[in-house]
Amino acid sequence: MGVIRWVAYAVNDSSYFKHNTDHTPLHIALLDEVSTCHPMLHPKLLELLISLFESEFKELDVLVQLELKKVILDRMVHLLSRGFVIPVVSYVRQCWETKDTDISLIRHFVSEVLDVVAPPYTLEFVQRFLPLIENENITGSIRTEAEHNPITEFITHCHQTFDDL
């Protein structure tokens, strides 16, 4: 818990991201280690990540802000991979439904999640994640005609497995 508070304190300094030019700042990368070693802290980690994701970093260029938000989303995907699936997917879906998040960030999240998930999927996960996958605005530009298209494979698997979709 102390590490989470320390990271929150450090990154909430308005100049932190302005002066830290690493792709994934050390303080943020440290959160992956906490999520791996301390499953009971997952809710607090997500709370911090949401706070960071929703923060406006007005002193940063717009493209730098988008890259920073992708890094934060990557931490959320790692948290998802450690078993905190439904709260993470629910939050990102909420961001999409309220239309207050750049669609490229939602697309990035979907692409990263597809890289780390595999069947069998729970109905609860599918009900939350499938609408993101089926949305053309999100996945239209990343769908391919290749034989192994993860988007098509996910959609097909879900519709074959669950009758009530």
Side-chain angles (χ1 to χ4, degrees):
M1 184 69 164
V3 172
I4 295 172
R5 287 183 189 222
W6 175 68
V7 170
Y9 176 78
V11 300
N12 280 324
D13 177 9
S14 61
S15 63
Y16 177 79
F17 291 108
K18 187 176 181 181
H19 296 297
N20 195 329
T21 58
D22 296 340
H23 176 68
T24 305
L26 174 66
H27 292 82
I28 302 299
L30 189 58
L31 296 176
D32 284 351
E33 190 66 24
V34 173
S35 68
T36 299
C37 297
H38 302 284
M40 298 300 287
L41 293 177
H42 287 173
K44 288 291 184 196
L45 282 168
L46 183 59
E47 187 179 303
L48 174 58
L49 292 171
I50 288 171
S51 170
L52 289 171
F53 188 76
E54 293 177 351
S55 295
E56 291 187 30
F57 302 98
K58 294 179 180 175
E59 65 278 355
L60 299 177
D61 181 64
V62 174
L63 292 176
V64 174
Q65 288 181 40
L66 281 173
E67 284 305 311
L68 175 60
K69 288 184 186 265
K70 284 182 182 178
V71 168
I72 295 166
L73 282 172
D74 289 342
R75 306 294 60 85
M76 288 186 192
V77 170
H78 180 76
L79 192 57
L80 177 144
S81 76
R82 304 312 306 159
F84 205 57
V85 177
I86 300 305
V88 171
V89 174
S90 295
Y91 172 71
V92 174
R93 179 157 173 196
Q94 173 193 334
C95 290
W96 168 63
E97 288 172 344
T98 58
K99 297 180 180 5
D100 63 351
T101 302
D102 189 289
I103 201 75
S104 69
L105 294 172
I106 306 294
R107 186 177 303 116
H108 175 77
F109 175 79
V110 165
S111 178
E112 294 300 310
V113 168
L114 286 174
D115 285 343
V116 298
V117 299
Y121 307 112
T122 65
L123 178 60
E124 190 175 12
F125 170 72
V126 169
Q127 288 172 330
R128 284 173 173 73
F129 193 63
L130 188 60
L132 296 173
I133 296 284
E134 291 181 326
N135 185 288
E136 277 294 315
N137 292 329
I138 296 172
T139 58
S141 64
I142 57 175
R143 290 181 195 228
T144 63
E145 299 299 321
E147 185 178 329
H148 296 290
N149 178 351
I151 296 166
T152 306
E153 289 175 2
F154 182 85
I155 292 170
T156 303
H157 176 80
C158 291
H159 286 291
Q160 288 174 349
T161 306
F162 302 103
D163 296 329
D164 50 342
L165 294 179

